[in-house]
Amino acid sequence: MHRSLRSRFRNLSPRDAILILLGAASMHIYSSFSYHLQDSPSIIFNTHLSSQDSLHNIPRPAPSVLLDAFHPPQPRKPPSPPSPSVPNLGHEIPQTELVSHAPGWTIFRNLYMADGTLFIVTSNPDSFPSVDFMTSTGLPADSTPESIAERMPTSRDMSVITPEEAHWRWGGQSERGHNNVFPVEGSTLLFNDPGQFLNHYYHFCAELLFGAWAFWHGTFRGASSTAPIPPFTRAIFPHATAEEWRDGPGMNFFFLRSAWPSLTVETEPDWLDRVSTTAPHPGGHHGRAWWFDTLLLADRSAAFRGPECGERTQRTAASAVKAVASREGGTGFLERGWWEPVRLNVLRFAGVSEDMLEIGKRAFKRTSNGSPKTGGVEEVVVTYVSRQAVKRHLVAEDHEGLVDALTEMCDRRGWELNIVAMERLSKEEQLAIAARTTFLVGVHGNGLTHLIMMPITPISMVIELFTPEGFAHDYEWTTRSLGMKHIAIWNDTSRSHPEVTNPNYPEGFQGEQIPVHGPYVAELIEDRADGFLP
Ligand SMILES: *[C@@H]1O[C@H](CO)[C@@H](O)[C@H](O)[C@H]1NC(C)=O
């Protein structure tokens, strides 16, 4: 528990603080599944310390990594795809390759689909992970044994077949016959989840797309630090209609369209077109199949079958990040800045100025130039996301007390304070605030999803308020995976990684009587800004 932080940390040298932080950050790396990534040094979160680093207490990527992280590929010049031209499918059925895998996240080359079944064509089936770590039936999830059982995949969902069987199914019938295999070119994201977990800003943007980008970026960047990252061509939602992947406030479509403007979307009816057109003909005529060039299959139920998501974080994206992140002496996270290309696209689309988009870059530069005051951040911005008008919120007086404490602190320090009810702001207004927020404060809830739009600086922190004893990993894991600090608050106590807190939903978790001691929250923010809370 963090009590009297100033006294606890005041006597530490910056060097001690670095060691504490690095110790805290080192995690056991789960590595049962990894393909083509083991020997790659290029995606290590760089914790090399130069002499300048001792001026501040946050590990910082080496300059080349930093530069790279903040100079993402320009959206208007997409890198060329690495895959060769379309094979001559009329005459060959190339075998499926496993490019990268973590439970719930699998990138294939040459994957096939016919009549609703995904086909892996291989003469070496043992080189593929078990099907239940790749896919599921895609049915809605609850935690009953029945629901768990009905989400186990069958051979209708995915089958592993030999090249001979593929030829028997889809091959030309005579010497001069033509295979019935038709190309779906480019990079496909196949999101196998039901609408249940799509129509929500957090699950869609901060979990599904977040995990997809982490896995994609980590896989292709991991293969070679100069390799281009292939652009996404299409996203397919086989179990969701056009309405079902969109959320009420409209963040999901705004985010998807702005992050990847050229991406096309297919939903359930489109997928059913592809299914019915490849159904076997009556009378024994050979069937057709679709060939997918490069395909990322994401499946929530499969991710939960793996330890990183199922046992530790309950975050599907954590499975993806863990698998592609550093394996030697790192933090288990990707290099800082991995999310920046996506974030910048969304914020530029929302009209955020270039000057504001450089807050993180400037902060690290100022810090490395010996200006560690408030972590190099020129203008500290505190944003309190108020949920008082919606369910799950603070005791009324405690909300007032928090507002008073934050106001007093920001007045005294000359910091910007935003007290926002997100539901009253336009998407552009919400994103503009998130884009400059150094400290994001709020009760556990979807408003905190905007943390994925915060500038990453040496002091950036998310302060999540829970009812006593309550905890969930949603925002905690997500914050840390971006290289920021997360602190969980229970009234006047707090805890932060690596202190372990298990998920818990006690009575009152969703209630309207969540207590918080405002002055305590303000003190933590000042401690962090002043370098007393590493
Ligand atoms: C919250 O903390 C304050 C300050 O320590 C204390 O006075 C108050 O009783 C606490 N509230 C609850 C519900 O524990």
Side-chain angles (χ1 to χ4, degrees), residues 3 395 398 468 490-493 513-520:
R3 309 243 20 194
V395 175
D398 288 10
W490 300 272
N491 190 37
D492 60 349
T493 60
Q513 293 295 317
I514 299 170
V516 72
H517 187 53
Y520 180 69

Side-chain angles (χ1 to χ4, degrees), residues 214-291:
F215 201 59
W216 194 259
H217 176 278
T219 295
F220 289 105
R221 186 47 66 84
S224 149
S225 59
T226 54
I229 296 174
F232 294 157
T233 312
R234 69 185 63 74
I236 302 180
F237 299 97
H239 302 292
T241 62
E243 292 72 38
E244 281 174 326
W245 69 267
R246 291 172 164 87
D247 62 323
M251 289 305 302
N252 289 358
F253 72 79
F254 189 95
F255 189 100
L256 189 76
R257 302 304 184 185
S258 57
W260 297 283
S262 303
L263 183 85
T264 59
V265 174
E266 295 183 15
T267 60
E268 193 172 35
D270 307 290
W271 181 250
L272 292 176
D273 290 345
R274 294 191 183 277
V275 172
S276 68
T277 48
T278 50
H281 291 239
H285 186 281
H286 283 206
R288 304 181 186 111
W290 300 108
W291 166 85

Side-chain angles (χ1 to χ4, degrees), residues 114-175:
D115 194 25
T117 303
L118 298 174
F119 286 94
I120 291 169
V121 176
T122 181
S123 48
N124 186 10
D126 292 343
S127 64
F128 287 82
S130 162
V131 167
D132 58 333
F133 280 114
M134 295 191 279
T135 195
S136 75
T137 54
L139 290 167
D142 59 57
S143 51
T144 64
E146 295 75 30
S147 169
I148 289 169
E150 74 180 10
R151 283 180 283 125
M152 282 305 282
T154 71
S155 59
R156 274 297 286 147
D157 302 297
M158 183 179 267
S159 280
V160 182
I161 60 173
T162 60
E164 293 71 32
E165 184 175 347
H167 191 263
W168 176 80
R169 283 174 178 266
W170 312 312
Q173 284 168 301
S174 66
E175 268 299 285

Side-chain angles (χ1 to χ4, degrees), residues 121-412:
V121 176
T122 181
S123 48
N124 186 10
D126 292 343
S127 64
F128 287 82
S130 162
V131 167
D132 58 333
F133 280 114
M134 295 191 279
T135 195
S136 75
T137 54
L139 290 167
D142 59 57
S143 51
T144 64
E146 295 75 30
S147 169
I148 289 169
E150 74 180 10
R151 283 180 283 125
M152 282 305 282
T154 71
S155 59
R156 274 297 286 147
D157 302 297
M158 183 179 267
S159 280
V160 182
I161 60 173
T162 60
E164 293 71 32
E165 184 175 347
H167 191 263
W168 176 80
R169 283 174 178 266
W170 312 312
Q173 284 168 301
S174 66
E175 268 299 285
R176 288 166 56 237
H178 199 272
N179 294 332
N180 293 311
V181 178
F182 301 90
V184 183
E185 295 178 47
S187 302
T188 300
L189 303 168
L190 186 61
F191 293 135
N192 203 40
D193 299 337
Q196 178 191 18
F197 287 104
L198 297 174
N199 61 5
H200 189 280
Y201 178 35
Y202 175 79
H203 288 300
F204 189 78
C205 296
E207 192 166 37
L208 185 63
L209 298 176
F210 196 80
W213 179 254
F215 201 59
W216 194 259
H217 176 278
T219 295
F220 289 105
R221 186 47 66 84
S224 149
S225 59
T226 54
I229 296 174
F232 294 157
T233 312
R234 69 185 63 74
I236 302 180
F237 299 97
H239 302 292
T241 62
E243 292 72 38
E244 281 174 326
W245 69 267
R246 291 172 164 87
D247 62 323
M251 289 305 302
N252 289 358
F253 72 79
F254 189 95
F255 189 100
L256 189 76
R257 302 304 184 185
S258 57
W260 297 283
S262 303
L263 183 85
T264 59
V265 174
E266 295 183 15
T267 60
E268 193 172 35
D270 307 290
W271 181 250
L272 292 176
D273 290 345
R274 294 191 183 277
V275 172
S276 68
T277 48
T278 50
H281 291 239
H285 186 281
H286 283 206
R288 304 181 186 111
W290 300 108
W291 166 85
F292 289 92
D293 174 334
T294 304
L295 183 143
L296 166 60
L297 171 61
D299 187 286
R300 187 176 177 87
S301 298
F304 268 84
R305 293 180 193 121
E308 191 55 33
C309 171
E311 289 161 26
R312 299 197 188 104
T313 61
Q314 297 77 49
R315 310 275 47 89
T316 63
S319 172
V321 166
K322 194 73 165 194
V324 292
S326 61
R327 294 177 185 281
E328 296 159 54
T331 62
F333 284 130
L334 293 159
E335 66 187 14
R336 195 198 305 282
W338 66 272
W339 181 241
E340 203 65 359
V342 178
R343 174 180 174 268
L344 294 182
N345 276 9
V346 174
L347 293 178
R348 283 199 180 106
F349 191 86
V352 173
S353 71
E354 292 301 309
D355 186 56
M356 202 176 282
L357 294 178
E358 306 224 319
I359 291 172
K361 192 173 147 192
R362 278 200 300 271
F364 280 102
K365 199 163 160 211
R366 283 165 60 97
T367 307
S368 67
N369 287 342
S371 168
K373 193 165 172 285
T374 57
V377 178
E378 293 145 276
E379 288 168 29
V380 173
V381 177
V382 179
T383 299
Y384 165 40
V385 179
S386 167
R387 292 182 55 97
Q388 294 310 101
V390 290
K391 79 174 168 69
R392 194 187 319 117
H393 62 238
L394 297 175
V395 175
E397 307 84 80
D398 288 10
H399 162 77
E400 295 300 331
L402 179 59
V403 169
D404 289 348
L406 296 177
T407 305
E408 186 281 322
M409 171 183 71
C410 290
D411 284 352
R412 176 164 44 77

